[in-house]
Each structure stands twice: as structure tokens, then as C-alpha cells.
Amino acid sequence: MRLLAILSGKGGVGKTTTTVALAAAFTELGRKVLACDFDPVGGLTYAVGGVPFGGVGLLEVLEGHAEPDQAARASSDEFAVLTGSVALERRRDPLDLRRLLRSSADLIILDAPPGFGSLPARIVGCCDSVLVPIIVEPLAVRTIEFVLGMIDAVKPPPKMLGVLPTMYEPRRMLNADQTAALTALGVP
């Protein structure tokens, strides 16, 4: 696994938190990690103490104006971060996401924006594997079929690592009901 997408159709489900936690964990295990902030509001950049949208970042790498290792900034958790840009969401022409492979990182984690638009679809199209964080509640669970459809539309599809329940409270009946709904869908 070289390119891992953290993806969900709904915002506020823990994509950025999952990205930071995985990047920090793999770094602690001795892996060189590059986390890429595809979210137009720069949540990942902000979460690791950076200033979103300043200087050279992810957009410049994808446009071919910079190399990943030179544009990346160190986070407080010792993994590298490519800062995001609002302009990424506005772009309609295809960006070469494979430029990220020029990085010397062992693992590149893509913190995708929420939704099913062209940018999340392009992210799925270039990654090796996908992890889907989800709040176990009806509005989030109902998006899973759309996410699975987006993944299956890619040929060959990336490996679906699974659904990661976040903000789960086992004592809440709603969480138990929605977990059963996910199981019924056959989601890993």
C-alpha cells in the first residue's frame, strides 16, 4: 500500500482525525509518511499546527511546479504534510495525482474532501486502498452505498480496507441499529 485515501461522502465524520492518527502511528513505527490535505478548508493543515493556504503546497505539486518532498512541511508529529488549497475544488481539468508518487515517503495518505464530486472521484481513481470513516448514524450510513459505488467504478478498484466507525457510543440504540445496517450491507 503506497497511496491510502481517507474518504467519506459526508463531512464531519472524522476523516482528518483518522488521517492524523494514522500518519502519526505509521511514523512512530518508523515509516516515512506524507499526508496530503485535499479538503478545501485545510482541516489537516490546521490540525497539525500549520497555516492553510500559505506558500507552496499540494496544488503546486499537482500542477508540476514543485516536488512533493520540497513542498511538504513537517508536522508536530514528525510526518510531512502537503497543505491544501481552495483552488483544488474549483479545478475542472484533471490534475496528475500520481505526481505524489515522486515523494520519498513510504506511505502517502490522502485526506479527501467530503462528497461525491470530481475531486473525491479522482482521489479514488489514483489510490491503492481506501478507508472510510463514518459516524454510525443514519445520514452518514446512507452514504456508504454511494461511496462503494464510487470505488467500484474504478477499474481496477482500489482495495477497500473497511469502514471505520467513529464517535461510536455502544449504549446508544441508534448506534447499534446503524451498525446492524452497515453489517447488512456487507461492508468490511
Side-chain angles (χ1 to χ4, degrees), residues 124 130 144-158 160:
V124 170
V130 177
I144 286 297
E145 291 183 69
F146 297 110
V147 171
L148 294 175
M150 188 182 336
I151 293 167
D152 288 340
V154 175
K155 301 300 179 215
M160 173 64 159

Side-chain angles (χ1 to χ4, degrees), residues 21 27 29 36 46 53 61 71 94 117 139 141 151 161 166 180 185:
T27 298
L29 291 171
C36 300
Y46 182 78
F53 318 126
V61 169
L139 291 176
V141 170
I151 293 167
L161 297 180
T166 61
L185 287 171

Side-chain angles (χ1 to χ4, degrees), residues 2-163:
R2 179 85 198 278
L3 282 171
L4 168 62
I6 307 299
L7 176 79
S8 180
K10 186 175 180 324
V13 298
K15 290 182 302 298
T16 298
T17 301
T18 300
T19 299
V20 171
L22 287 174
F26 279 107
T27 298
E28 195 170 299
L29 291 171
R31 303 278 303 270
K32 186 173 179 182
V33 178
L34 173 63
C36 300
D37 193 351
F38 280 91
D39 192 335
V41 297
L44 173 62
T45 304
Y46 182 78
V48 297
V51 178
F53 318 126
V56 177
L58 181 58
L59 181 62
E60 290 75 19
V61 169
L62 297 177
E63 290 178 332
H65 303 299
E67 292 298 319
D69 291 340
Q70 285 72 42
R73 301 174 188 184
S75 74
S76 56
D77 292 312
E78 299 183 19
F79 57 86
V81 175
L82 278 175
T83 58
S85 170
V86 166
L88 279 170
E89 188 69 22
R90 295 186 197 136
R91 294 288 298 263
R92 295 296 171 227
D93 56 322
L95 293 167
D96 185 2
L97 285 108
R98 288 285 172 179
R99 286 184 188 275
L100 295 171
L101 291 172
R102 295 180 182 174
S103 169
S104 61
D106 302 316
L107 175 63
I108 303 166
I109 304 176
L110 312 179
D111 185 20
F116 306 103
S118 63
L119 186 53
R122 285 184 274 164
I123 290 170
V124 170
C126 83
C127 67
D128 304 313
S129 51
V130 177
L131 179 64
V132 182
I134 186 169
I135 296 174
V136 188
E137 57 93 26
L139 291 176
V141 170
R142 68 183 283 269
T143 68
I144 286 297
E145 291 183 69
F146 297 110
V147 171
L148 294 175
M150 188 182 336
I151 293 167
D152 288 340
V154 175
K155 301 300 179 215
K159 180 177 181 178
M160 173 64 159
L161 297 180
V163 171

Side-chain angles (χ1 to χ4, degrees), residues 154-175:
V154 175
K155 301 300 179 215
K159 180 177 181 178
M160 173 64 159
L161 297 180
V163 171
L164 175 66
T166 61
M167 300 176 238
Y168 181 77
E169 177 54 56
R171 294 177 297 206
R172 290 186 65 207
M173 183 60 80
L174 179 64
N175 285 172

